[in-house]
mmCIF file of all heavy atoms in Angstrom:
data_model
loop_
_atom_site.group_PDB
_atom_site.id
_atom_site.type_symbol
_atom_site.label_atom_id
_atom_site.label_comp_id
_atom_site.label_asym_id
_atom_site.label_seq_id
_atom_site.Cartn_x
_atom_site.Cartn_y
_atom_site.Cartn_z
ATOM 1 N N ILE A 383 75.372 167.744 61.975
ATOM 2 C CA ILE A 383 76.000 168.951 62.508
ATOM 3 C C ILE A 383 77.473 168.661 62.790
ATOM 4 O O ILE A 383 78.350 169.471 62.404
ATOM 5 C CB ILE A 383 75.304 169.421 63.872
ATOM 6 C CG1 ILE A 383 73.870 169.841 63.560
ATOM 7 C CG2 ILE A 383 76.087 170.545 64.528
ATOM 8 C CD1 ILE A 383 73.084 170.186 64.844
ATOM 9 N N THR A 384 77.776 167.451 63.401
ATOM 10 C CA THR A 384 79.161 167.237 63.690
ATOM 11 C C THR A 384 80.001 167.141 62.365
ATOM 12 O O THR A 384 81.098 167.601 62.340
ATOM 13 C CB THR A 384 79.232 165.812 64.371
ATOM 14 O OG1 THR A 384 78.529 166.002 65.602
ATOM 15 C CG2 THR A 384 80.721 165.464 64.745
ATOM 16 N N ASP A 385 79.476 166.415 61.369
ATOM 17 C CA ASP A 385 80.218 166.255 60.190
ATOM 18 C C ASP A 385 80.408 167.434 59.310
ATOM 19 O O ASP A 385 81.407 167.556 58.536
ATOM 20 C CB ASP A 385 79.574 165.098 59.287
ATOM 21 C CG ASP A 385 79.679 163.753 59.939
ATOM 22 O OD1 ASP A 385 80.418 163.572 60.910
ATOM 23 O OD2 ASP A 385 78.916 162.812 59.440
ATOM 24 N N ASN A 386 79.462 168.369 59.452
ATOM 25 C CA ASN A 386 79.526 169.502 58.503
ATOM 26 C C ASN A 386 79.612 170.909 59.142
ATOM 27 O O ASN A 386 79.683 171.880 58.385
ATOM 28 C CB ASN A 386 78.188 169.409 57.586
ATOM 29 C CG ASN A 386 78.108 168.216 56.837
ATOM 30 O OD1 ASN A 386 78.766 167.953 55.883
ATOM 31 N ND2 ASN A 386 77.106 167.312 57.229
ATOM 32 N N PHE A 387 79.592 170.963 60.436
ATOM 33 C CA PHE A 387 79.710 172.197 61.092
ATOM 34 C C PHE A 387 80.985 172.161 62.050
ATOM 35 O O PHE A 387 81.859 172.985 61.956
ATOM 36 C CB PHE A 387 78.498 172.624 61.907
ATOM 37 C CG PHE A 387 78.702 173.807 62.789
ATOM 38 C CD1 PHE A 387 78.870 175.064 62.239
ATOM 39 C CD2 PHE A 387 78.752 173.708 64.175
ATOM 40 C CE1 PHE A 387 79.030 176.209 63.007
ATOM 41 C CE2 PHE A 387 78.868 174.817 65.002
ATOM 42 C CZ PHE A 387 78.999 176.047 64.383
ATOM 43 N N ASN A 388 80.898 171.208 62.998
ATOM 44 C CA ASN A 388 81.993 171.114 63.961
ATOM 45 C C ASN A 388 83.384 170.882 63.340
ATOM 46 O O ASN A 388 84.422 171.325 63.782
ATOM 47 C CB ASN A 388 81.791 169.889 64.910
ATOM 48 C CG ASN A 388 80.529 170.231 65.789
ATOM 49 O OD1 ASN A 388 80.023 171.342 65.771
ATOM 50 N ND2 ASN A 388 80.117 169.264 66.554
ATOM 51 N N MET A 389 83.404 170.264 62.081
ATOM 52 C CA MET A 389 84.663 170.043 61.359
ATOM 53 C C MET A 389 84.964 171.140 60.447
ATOM 54 O O MET A 389 86.030 171.041 59.704
ATOM 55 C CB MET A 389 84.661 168.641 60.670
ATOM 56 C CG MET A 389 84.184 167.453 61.584
ATOM 57 S SD MET A 389 85.315 167.129 62.830
ATOM 58 C CE MET A 389 86.681 166.417 61.913
ATOM 59 N N ASP A 390 84.154 172.102 60.309
ATOM 60 C CA ASP A 390 84.289 173.148 59.318
ATOM 61 C C ASP A 390 84.728 174.428 60.005
ATOM 62 O O ASP A 390 84.274 174.761 61.073
ATOM 63 C CB ASP A 390 83.014 173.346 58.496
ATOM 64 C CG ASP A 390 83.235 174.043 57.217
ATOM 65 O OD1 ASP A 390 84.366 174.620 57.008
ATOM 66 O OD2 ASP A 390 82.324 174.019 56.369
ATOM 67 N N THR A 391 85.513 175.311 59.343
ATOM 68 C CA THR A 391 85.919 176.551 59.967
ATOM 69 C C THR A 391 84.974 177.682 59.507
ATOM 70 O O THR A 391 85.035 178.727 60.094
ATOM 71 C CB THR A 391 87.391 176.903 59.453
ATOM 72 O OG1 THR A 391 87.313 176.916 57.984
ATOM 73 C CG2 THR A 391 88.412 175.920 59.983
ATOM 74 N N ILE A 392 84.096 177.414 58.515
ATOM 75 C CA ILE A 392 83.132 178.416 58.111
ATOM 76 C C ILE A 392 81.721 177.918 58.442
ATOM 77 O O ILE A 392 81.284 176.869 58.007
ATOM 78 C CB ILE A 392 83.224 178.640 56.574
ATOM 79 C CG1 ILE A 392 84.710 179.006 56.209
ATOM 80 C CG2 ILE A 392 82.253 179.704 56.130
ATOM 81 C CD1 ILE A 392 85.026 179.110 54.789
ATOM 82 N N SER A 429 81.513 169.228 52.130
ATOM 83 C CA SER A 429 81.140 167.933 52.600
ATOM 84 C C SER A 429 79.532 167.787 52.623
ATOM 85 O O SER A 429 79.075 166.701 52.832
ATOM 86 C CB SER A 429 81.585 167.761 54.049
ATOM 87 O OG SER A 429 81.136 168.806 54.932
#
Side-chain angles (χ1 to χ4, degrees):
I383 295 171
T384 301
D385 290 348
N386 301 290
F387 173 69
N388 294 350
M389 306 297 288
D390 201 346
T391 56
I392 305 172
S429 60

